[in-house]
Amino acid sequence: MTYAPPASALPAEPPSRRKYDVVIVGGAMYGSSIAWWLARNPDFDGSVLVVERNPSYEFCSTAHTNSCMRQQFSSAINVRVSQFAAEFVKNFRAWMDGDPRVPDVALVSTGYLYLADTEEFAATLREAQKIQAACGAGTRHMTRAEIAAEYPFYNLDGIVAANHNPVDEGFFEGATLFEWWRRNARERGAEFIANEVVAMTLNAAGTAVDSITLKSGEKIACGTVVNASGPRAARTARMAGIADLPVEPRKRFSYVFAAERPLDRPMPLTINPSGVHVRSDGANYLAGCGPAEDPPVDPDDFVEDHSLWESRVWPALMARIPQFDALRLLNSWAGHYAFNTFDHNAILGPHTKVANVIFANGFSGHGFQQSPAMGRGTAEWILYGGFRAIDLSPFLYRRIPEGRPFVESAVI
């Protein structure tokens, strides 16, 4: 059985071999993370091929991320995944074996500030704070008076409470992780090529992918196939005859702006009840939101909705922060969430029938911050058939055909 997606007009670089132990479809943040974790593990002596259809990475989620990191989740496992990410970022050079070429990676811990406009939402935040505190996170529940005392620039009309975590929560230079994962994985023997997987051939029973076919025409035998293709994950899955991967591209919009009257202190990433979020970004500010309606889009569709800035974003910013009455838009872009429509959480591990297909998909906007732990966990599954460092089993694909959503309520 052979399944093929529509072809795309992209460069094609042939691989050096005709068989690999692991083929990773997608070479952006997750493909590079998984390749690096595999290549650095002394228990792994196999071959890795990473196939990336867009080697400039111009049109991937990695290139459009805001590089945020938070521990404010409603499930303990998501908190622990982000806690590992924070430690990983702060000790990145050590993870790279002290390589003097590797730069330090800053984690700017301004935190997230979730604003509650109802008593019901405030109660939800209090419950989440308890979960986060039990995991060792520094989240605190704040009254309206406490918010006003610490951040007097907010207009708190309609706000009753908030949660804020100033410890290991904020934003980081994720591009450095990506660059060095890819570079170091290559140095350790992983092969990265500019090409595209256009088909997969299954065995007669339909229980394993025997080979992949590249755009350049080569048919490559493989032991394991990793789906790390971000918003294209469902298309990749269909090549293996898997039709039920609930991941689709959803547009998100980002705006960098300058204020005529800048704030007198850094602003945490503030999640407004309107759905618009904003944070300090050096001397400027970064805001973001989703569209008024949130349908799936084509993975090649990066067209901006320029009306959103004037109609939704700026009015929401000015209403919440009166000092933002005079702003100058400096830059804007549209990116994609690889959105898991089933339960908004990552999908990891093997397919229940096509057992050598491993998922690393559906991160729903959390992918950058979760990539250290999820990349390590995926490499562990490939090597050992299970997770070792952190038990990531709640994210396993099997929950989807079983109809057991693992719900995360803290989704932006």
Side-chain angles (χ1 to χ4, degrees):
M1 296 181 288
T2 301
Y3 304 84
S8 61
L10 289 166
E13 178 185 357
S16 64
R17 307 171 57 158
R18 291 293 177 265
K19 180 178 181 180
Y20 292 84
D21 296 295
V22 179
V23 172
I24 301 175
V25 185
M29 196 68 169
Y30 271 88
S32 295
S33 173
I34 294 163
W36 179 75
W37 282 107
L38 275 173
R40 77 181 298 273
N41 192 313
D43 292 339
F44 181 73
D45 59 0
S47 53
V48 177
L49 176 67
V50 182
V51 184
E52 173 53 50
R53 68 187 300 277
N54 175 25
S56 72
Y57 298 98
E58 180 182 2
F59 298 111
C60 66
S61 295
T62 297
H64 297 97
T65 180
N66 294 338
S67 294
C68 295
M69 183 183 294
R70 63 183 164 104
Q71 297 176 27
Q72 292 189 63
F73 288 95
S74 64
S75 60
I77 183 60
N78 275 328
V79 178
R80 290 195 290 272
V81 163
S82 286
Q83 287 175 323
F84 173 71
E87 289 303 312
F88 186 86
V89 166
K90 291 189 297 184
N91 297 282
F92 185 56
R93 184 181 293 160
W95 280 99
M96 289 285 164
D97 299 324
D99 187 335
R101 300 173 299 167
V102 176
D104 291 325
V105 181
L107 172 57
V108 182
S109 295
T110 51
Y112 277 56
L113 184 74
Y114 278 85
L115 296 173
D117 58 347
T118 66
E119 291 296 341
E120 181 182 14
F121 188 29
T124 298
L125 290 180
R126 281 193 292 271
E127 289 304 309
Q129 188 274 337
K130 293 176 185 176
I131 294 169
Q132 294 152 22
C135 294
T139 311
R140 52 192 175 139
H141 189 72
M142 302 175 71
T143 65
R144 175 173 166 163
E146 289 170 331
I147 304 167
E150 194 156 339
Y151 298 106
F153 50 77
Y154 290 120
N155 170 14
L156 294 174
D157 289 351
I159 299 301
V160 298
N163 275 8
H164 182 227
N165 176 15
V167 181
D168 290 345
E169 184 172 272
F171 59 96
F172 66 106
E173 183 48 62
T176 302
L177 271 66
F178 170 45
E179 176 187 352
W180 279 95
W181 277 340
R182 186 177 43 162
R183 181 173 178 175
N184 194 252
R186 278 183 170 135
E187 292 174 350
R188 293 174 179 271
E191 183 178 347
F192 286 66
I193 61 169
N195 212 312
E196 184 176 0
V197 177
V198 296
M200 297 183 188
T201 301
L202 277 67
N203 63 12
T207 57
V209 173
D210 282 343
S211 65
I212 60 152
T213 301
L214 297 174
K215 181 185 175 183
S216 50
E218 295 86 355
K219 199 167 191 176
I220 306 299
C222 51
T224 298
V225 177
V226 180
N227 185 344
S229 46
R232 295 178 178 272
R235 293 188 179 191
T236 299
R238 285 194 291 271
M239 286 189 273
I242 299 166
D244 62 347
L245 187 65
V247 178
E248 59 189 32
R250 298 281 187 93
K251 271 190 184 178
R252 294 297 181 267
F253 303 94
S254 297
Y255 305 90
V256 177
F257 63 92
E260 185 174 305
R261 296 189 294 148
L263 305 177
D264 65 353
R265 66 200 72 188
M267 176 173 52
L269 194 151
T270 305
I271 298 95
N272 200 47
S274 68
V276 174
H277 58 270
V278 60
R279 65 165 166 85
S280 293
D281 191 47
N284 298 314
Y285 302 91
L286 175 66
C289 68
E293 297 182 0
D294 196 17
V297 299
D298 188 274
D300 293 319
D301 178 5
F302 291 92
V303 176
E304 294 185 58
D305 181 353
H306 293 287
S307 69
L308 276 179
W309 171 254
E310 293 284 349
S311 67
R312 182 182 178 196
V313 180
W314 192 355
L317 295 174
M318 188 166 52
R320 185 61 62 205
I321 305 162
Q323 267 180 253
F324 284 174
D325 57 346
L327 305 179
R328 179 164 55 94
L329 185 61
L330 302 176
N331 191 18
S332 64
W333 62 89
H336 291 162
Y337 276 5
F339 195 80
N340 173 2
T341 60
F342 182 69
D343 61 13
H344 307 162
N345 266 305
I347 302 170
L348 302 182
H351 188 254
T352 47
K353 181 182 178 184
V354 190
N356 70 334
V357 171
I358 305 294
F359 298 106
N361 303 118
F363 295 95
S364 303
H366 311 141
F368 229 53
Q369 65 186 300
Q370 294 187 328
S371 56
M374 300 296 196
R376 177 176 62 175
T378 301
E380 289 171 345
W381 191 279
I382 293 168
L383 277 167
Y384 309 118
F387 302 117
R388 291 195 169 186
I390 300 175
D391 182 8
L392 301 174
S393 56
F395 301 108
L396 285 171
Y397 165 85
R398 65 191 180 200
R399 75 186 189 275
I400 294 167
E402 292 172 1
R404 295 184 295 102
F406 173 46
V407 177
E408 172 56 63
S409 62
V411 177
I412 299 174

